[in-house]
Amino acid sequence: MRVVIQRVRNARVDVPESGYVSEIGPGLLVLAAFSEDDTDSDLDWMARKIAALRVFDDGNGIMNISVKDTGGQIMVVSQFTLYASTARGNRPSYIKAAKPETAVPLYGRFCEKTEAELGKPVACGVFGADMKVSLLNDGPVTIIIDSKIRE
């Protein structure tokens, strides 16, 4: 599992065919991709890591507070392109990304696990949809985490 986490002032997802999907205020926008070999262990680890990640400023201006501690929100958006390989040629290959029949249940369980770790509802995108994601990056603070590397 691979994620890109952005600290945001706000974020919103719209789908052209249906319009508004979800939005959050201050918190974290999590772009998430899944591979065929991801397990519940990867999902559990990533959900715990994101909820506890200390990327919000304390009273001294030091990033020392988690989204959970701030009462902030989390939005999870599926993004298989995080598994793009550009090793050969100029057209990315997505062979490492999980196929929808694997990725859809992983995405759903990851949203549920993140919600449980945060202790409140998590906003989600629409898997496989042509989503329009808007955000106001805060910092900017952007972090990449891979559950297989765990660094």
Side-chain angles (χ1 to χ4, degrees):
M1 177 178 188
R2 196 172 282 172
V3 299
V4 172
I5 302 165
Q6 295 182 301
R7 188 176 73 182
V8 297
R9 295 283 177 106
N10 58 65
R12 178 182 169 111
V13 174
D14 291 278
V15 174
E17 300 81 42
S18 58
Y20 166 79
V21 173
S22 61
E23 65 185 317
I24 63 169
L28 299 175
L29 170 62
V30 178
L31 305 174
F34 305 92
S35 68
E36 290 290 338
D37 62 346
D38 284 336
T39 66
D40 277 340
S41 173
D42 295 291
L43 305 179
D44 290 337
W45 181 84
M46 191 66 77
R48 280 192 310 273
K49 179 62 82 174
I50 291 168
L53 198 62
R54 298 179 345 188
V55 295
F56 292 88
D57 292 349
D58 64 16
N60 296 318
I62 306 294
M63 283 196 279
N64 200 27
I65 300 174
S66 72
V67 66
K68 192 172 182 176
D69 294 334
T70 67
Q73 298 176 289
I74 295 178
M75 174 181 282
V76 180
V77 175
S78 61
Q79 187 169 342
F80 75 94
T81 60
L82 295 178
Y83 274 108
S85 172
T86 58
R88 297 180 66 183
N90 293 319
R91 183 170 181 244
S93 167
Y94 303 107
I95 195 96
K96 293 180 183 177
K99 294 183 177 28
E101 54 270 14
T102 301
V104 169
L106 288 171
Y107 176 63
R109 288 199 313 273
F110 177 65
C111 289
E112 290 169 3
K113 290 173 183 291
T114 303
E115 195 167 277
E117 289 294 331
L118 186 61
K120 62 182 177 181
V122 168
C124 295
V126 178
F127 189 95
D130 177 23
M131 293 177 281
K132 305 305 176 198
V133 180
S134 57
L135 65 128
L136 179 56
N137 212 324
D138 184 16
V141 173
T142 303
I143 296 175
I144 302 168
I145 304 175
D146 190 306
S147 67
K148 302 302 187 215
I149 299 171
R150 296 193 181 195
E151 65 175 14

